[in-house]
Amino acid sequence: MVEHGDLLGLLPEDTLADVLRRLVPRDLATARCVRKALRDIVDDRRLLLPHLLPHKVGGIFINFHSKGFWELFSRPSAGPVVSGWFDFVPGGTENVFKPPPLDHCKGLFLFNGKYVFNPATRKYACLPPRPPPVMTKQYFYEDPYLLYDPAVSPHYEIFLIHRIAYKSEPRCTSYRADRDALDPAIEKLEWPPSPYVLHVFSSKTAKWEQRSYLREGEGAGTVADVRFDSLFYEKRYAIYLRGELYFHCEADFVMRISLLNNKFQVIKPPKDNEVSLFNGLYLGRSKTGIQCAKVDNSGHPCRLRIWILKDLRGQMEWLLMHQANIGPMLPRHEYNQPIGGSWMLQDLNYYEIQHKYYGKKETIAVPEKFEWDSDNDDVLETGDRVYDGCKHITFLGFHPYKDVVFLAESSRRGLAYHWNSSKIQLLGNIYPKEPCIGQFAPISETFLYTPCWMEELPLSN
């Protein structure tokens, strides 16, 4: 006769795992807490991951010029509210002229280079002070990038990646000889150097450490070659995928750092890419892999091009996957008419100013719909399209799980473009409310937010 406490031991682990898979997430989480044997099966087979890591886009965070908070453009959700009002993080509610820099990786945020937090669980961790920079601070910046993959480990890392001080051309109005001057010896240095020494923070050790990476293949040139940078002082985008970090470098090069063999490689930009002051490349990830995109609003009005990164005979190259003229696909819209669509901008900046300075408390009207069906939601059919000239198209980001890119038209309408079917969906009004008539807030930075419900956050407060 077997005692009640030993009944679990009679079932093979595979059979018990099949039983646990049939439970709803709440009951599965409860069962995990009953006994160590159940917890080990749930964790080892990662049965909760599909529920804690939903493959969905929770919205698009947008940094508008001269705004104090990041705005979230999304479809209203029935779940917990996520916004740029980070009141649970120290300094998260300070309204400044420029929002503190953010980085995002699979549900975690890096805030102001000092805190890592999860807006879904409202937990945060304080980072220790940065170590002294590896390279001369006068000539190089260090931008922090967050690396996190909850499907592999609850731990995260932060890489401090170097950015060369921007140099404008003498004919530009922004040119200043005193600011743009650089030591000739530094301008002659090969970039990136090999070995490439970086500071890295790991939540496993709770410490900063130096790591050295050796280059495979050619570099991007000298420091002087890549200083004419089209992105000025803005931090660039980075992607962490399967143990490798891809980040956007000067002159539209991409660097791939492998955490597995401590080597890095410089990837040249697409061959037919004309580097333009206002039309740089956007690095991202889709379900297909690492991709980059560019919207040309000048020589080729509203032309969208999408490349994918492929390993061709040991050489990483960009292959053109899609190109289209977006302008003729867009319907005419009068500025005094409602835009429509089911996505909304939270307008945190507007409502906070109204409350703080004018004593007005307003609430946001929430539509009835909640979840976005990307296959059937406000698709602009051919008969609806009346082309009335070129629109200014801004690239917002890649959908990480679908063949979809997000765009903004003239900073007013949010769009989703399905590049396999060449269909465009109208998402909604993306332009923020303004307390004063005549103000304009162009888009500065964006990133897609993918929620993560993992409770574990190493070093959390």
Side-chain angles (χ1 to χ4, degrees), residues 72 79 153 205 358 369 378-379 421:
L72 180 64
S153 170
T205 61
Y358 301 103
K369 300 178 182 179
D378 301 314
V379 175
S421 59

Side-chain angles (χ1 to χ4, degrees), residues 425-440:
Q425 296 174 249
L426 174 61
L427 301 181
N429 176 35
I430 204 169
Y431 192 72
K433 288 185 178 181
E434 297 291 352
C436 300
I437 299 177
Q439 291 187 353
F440 179 69

Side-chain angles (χ1 to χ4, degrees), residues 50-69:
H51 310 291
L52 298 176
L53 306 175
H55 281 196
K56 60 181 291 187
V57 172
I60 305 174
F61 272 90
I62 304 175
N63 174 7
F64 292 96
H65 282 287
S66 73
K67 297 298 181 182
F69 299 101

